[in-house]
Every structure is written in C-alpha cells, then in structure tokens.
Amino acid sequence: MEPQDKNVGPIFYLIYSSIENVVFDEQQLKNLLNKSRDFNQENDITGILLYVKGQLITKSKGRFMQLLEGDERIVRKLYKKIMTDQRHESVVLLQIGQYGKRIFNDWSLGFEDSDDDSFQSLSGHFNLNDIIEYCNKSSPSDVPLQFLRSFYNEG
C-alpha cells in the first residue's frame, strides 16, 4: 500500500485565534514549537501557527492564530484541547470548512519580525512576513489565507 499524498483532498480545516495568558519567553515558544510539530507530524496535521509577541513593558499579551488541516475528528479533538490549555485565553473559532487540497505541506510556526537567531535554526520556524507575502498573492476567494493576512494587519 502506497502512502497517501498529503495534497489529495478534500481536506478539513479549522482556524482559531487566541491570546497568550502570560507573555511567552523564548524557551516557552521553543517548547511549544517542538511539541506541536511532533504531535502534528504523528497525526498527519498540517497548517500554520502565527504568533505576534507580547510586551512585558506595556503589559500587552501576544496573539496567536492557527490554521489546522487534517482529519476532521483529529483536528476538532486538538482544538478542544487548545480551548482548555491554560496558556491561552479568549480562544475564538474563526472558521471551519473544507477545501480541495492542503495549502500547507507541513506544520510551521511564524513569528512577527523575529530577529532572534536562536529561532532560525528550529525546524518549522519562519518569519511572519514571508507567509503574508504568500497570502497577498492569493485570490480574494481564498478565505483561509485572507484570515491569516487579517491577523497580521491587526498588529
């Protein structure tokens, strides 16, 4: 039996946003990235997690937006776990649906203007500006990517 092509659809997706309960430090973000990437690989979940950093000085909290793609049962179960995760508050389901094929071949974590070189070496990390450029090239009818762009523009 041959492995299933991840790009064959249709594929279920879910998009949510949340606010961090406390400002994450570098090690907490690295742990989140590593654990999430491992879980998602084991469960054939792809997608993207966007993070805009909070600031201790202004007491602003960071924001997350995540798009998850995969088996509907597994993605919904993961979302329920995220809703009860004490690291998040104000978890809001933005959209669920299906599209013809996966948009993302892997799962990645994007940071806004991450100039910290220690994150650059982590598998799955990218600068948030890179994905926004991709979203800007998408069609207005590509609703999931428009959500990602709106998250970035709110910052």
Side-chain angles (χ1 to χ4, degrees):
M1 186 167 175
E2 293 189 25
Q4 186 175 3
D5 182 356
K6 284 186 177 184
N7 288 321
V8 174
I11 192 76
F12 177 80
Y13 73 91
L14 179 149
I15 304 172
Y16 75 89
S17 68
S18 69
I19 299 171
E20 64 188 353
N21 202 14
V22 294
V23 177
F24 281 40
D25 64 25
E26 178 183 318
Q27 191 57 49
Q28 288 171 310
L29 285 170
K30 286 181 179 180
N31 290 342
L32 175 68
L33 174 60
N34 289 326
K35 286 180 181 178
S36 298
R37 188 185 58 242
D38 291 346
F39 176 86
N40 291 344
Q41 283 178 344
E42 290 172 14
N43 290 280
D44 196 27
I45 294 174
T46 57
I48 189 167
L49 174 63
L50 307 180
Y51 174 69
V52 174
K53 192 175 192 175
Q55 301 295 323
L56 287 173
I57 295 171
T58 62
K59 297 189 185 325
S60 65
K61 296 179 180 178
R63 298 178 293 121
F64 292 98
M65 179 182 274
Q66 185 161 207
L67 182 151
L68 298 166
E69 308 170 313
D71 177 86
E72 183 173 356
R73 290 176 298 126
I74 296 171
V75 170
R76 285 183 183 272
K77 185 175 179 181
L78 175 57
Y79 176 67
K80 285 181 183 178
K81 183 178 173 185
I82 291 166
M83 287 181 2
T84 61
D85 187 326
Q86 295 302 307
R87 297 173 293 183
H88 296 271
E89 61 184 48
S90 303
V91 180
V92 176
L93 179 62
L94 299 174
Q95 187 176 43
I96 58 172
Q98 286 190 341
Y99 37 68
K101 64 178 186 174
R102 290 181 194 259
I103 295 175
F104 300 97
N105 291 324
D106 296 305
W107 182 86
S108 302
L109 173 62
F111 296 94
E112 178 183 44
D113 299 327
S114 176
D115 54 4
D116 187 342
D117 290 339
S118 67
F119 284 103
Q120 302 301 323
S121 63
L122 289 175
S123 174
H125 166 266
F126 66 92
N127 189 299
L128 187 53
N129 293 317
D130 297 338
I131 193 65
I132 297 310
E133 196 172 309
Y134 176 73
C135 291
N136 286 338
K137 294 176 183 174
S138 68
S139 132
S141 63
D142 198 343
V143 176
L145 294 180
Q146 299 312 317
F147 266 110
L148 298 179
R149 181 172 37 196
S150 71
F151 171 79
Y152 180 77
N153 291 333
E154 285 177 15

